[in-house]
Amino acid sequence: MKKLILSVMLAACAAFTAKAQTLSFGVKGGLTISKLTQFNDSKVRPSVYAGGFANIAFTESIALQPELLYSGQGTKYEPLNQTITYRLNYINIPVMFQYRIVPEFFLEAGPQLGFMVAGKTHAGKVTIDISDDTKAVDFGLGFGLGYQFPVGLGVSARYMFGLTNVFERSLDDNKNSVAQIGLFYTFKHQHTASKKRKR
């Protein structure tokens, strides 16, 4: 199933790219603030995200942006005055539909497919690998906004909420809840399909 979903997402991105007016690439990174829903007395866990993206613009206002990101997620809780940290690390593939209200400011929303690469719990000096207890694939939805300066540098914020349970065997719906805030940079080199056809 995960291969089918990924194949569909990649095929859709390829189809949209063929119709793009402008194609540009960039890098991004920043802070993640995450927790798990329905987790007893859970607290947020701060971490980082980093990766790259392709921006496929169809008009001056509408674009599609697939991304490939490393994301540190998880949660904390404190039973009996002891802090236990769940560190869940993912490779995420969000595909965001963007709408630019003005050239500098945009809104975005779209699905995300995540692949668990490492899952551990930490309590004091004790570390336990919980990768076998977590689901390999996480599916979610997100929405956000951003502002891009003329030099290519921008700032963005996004909230992603999971639709699948993180753990293989759990009576509760422990789903990812992740806020991101960070910087991105779009490289100035761009390919315009309409200009290519005129040559």
Side-chain angles (χ1 to χ4, degrees), residues 150-165:
V151 293
L153 183 67
V155 59
S156 64
R158 184 183 297 171
Y159 174 70
M160 302 294 301
F161 56 95
L163 300 177
T164 54
N165 198 342

Side-chain angles (χ1 to χ4, degrees), residues 1 24 39 63 65 73 92 110 115 165 190 198:
M1 178 61 71
S24 55
F39 203 90
Q65 183 163 295
Q73 298 172 198
N92 289 329
F115 298 91
N165 198 342
Q190 296 181 338
K198 292 179 181 179

Side-chain angles (χ1 to χ4, degrees), residues 113-125:
L113 189 63
F115 298 91
M116 172 78 71
V117 293
K120 296 181 180 181
T121 61
H122 295 262
K125 297 182 179 180

Side-chain angles (χ1 to χ4, degrees), residues 141-152:
L141 296 173
F143 57 89
L145 51 83
Y147 186 92
Q148 185 170 12
F149 300 96
V151 293

Side-chain angles (χ1 to χ4, degrees), residues 93-189:
I93 306 175
V95 180
M96 308 302 289
F97 294 87
Q98 296 183 341
Y99 177 74
R100 290 185 179 269
I101 300 175
V102 294
E104 297 83 10
F105 181 75
F106 63 86
L107 301 176
E108 62 180 9
Q112 173 177 282
L113 189 63
F115 298 91
M116 172 78 71
V117 293
K120 296 181 180 181
T121 61
H122 295 262
K125 297 182 179 180
V126 178
T127 300
I128 300 175
D129 191 316
I130 59 170
S131 298
D132 292 338
D133 299 322
T134 58
K135 291 186 177 179
V137 178
D138 180 69
F139 185 73
L141 296 173
F143 57 89
L145 51 83
Y147 186 92
Q148 185 170 12
F149 300 96
V151 293
L153 183 67
V155 59
S156 64
R158 184 183 297 171
Y159 174 70
M160 302 294 301
F161 56 95
L163 300 177
T164 54
N165 198 342
V166 171
F167 298 105
E168 287 284 1
R169 296 172 291 275
S170 176
L171 298 178
D172 298 319
D173 291 329
N174 302 133
K175 299 174 181 177
N176 281 302
S177 174
V178 185
Q180 299 176 343
I181 184 169
L183 300 174
F184 65 91
Y185 182 79
T186 303
F187 299 111
K188 292 184 178 181
H189 174 72

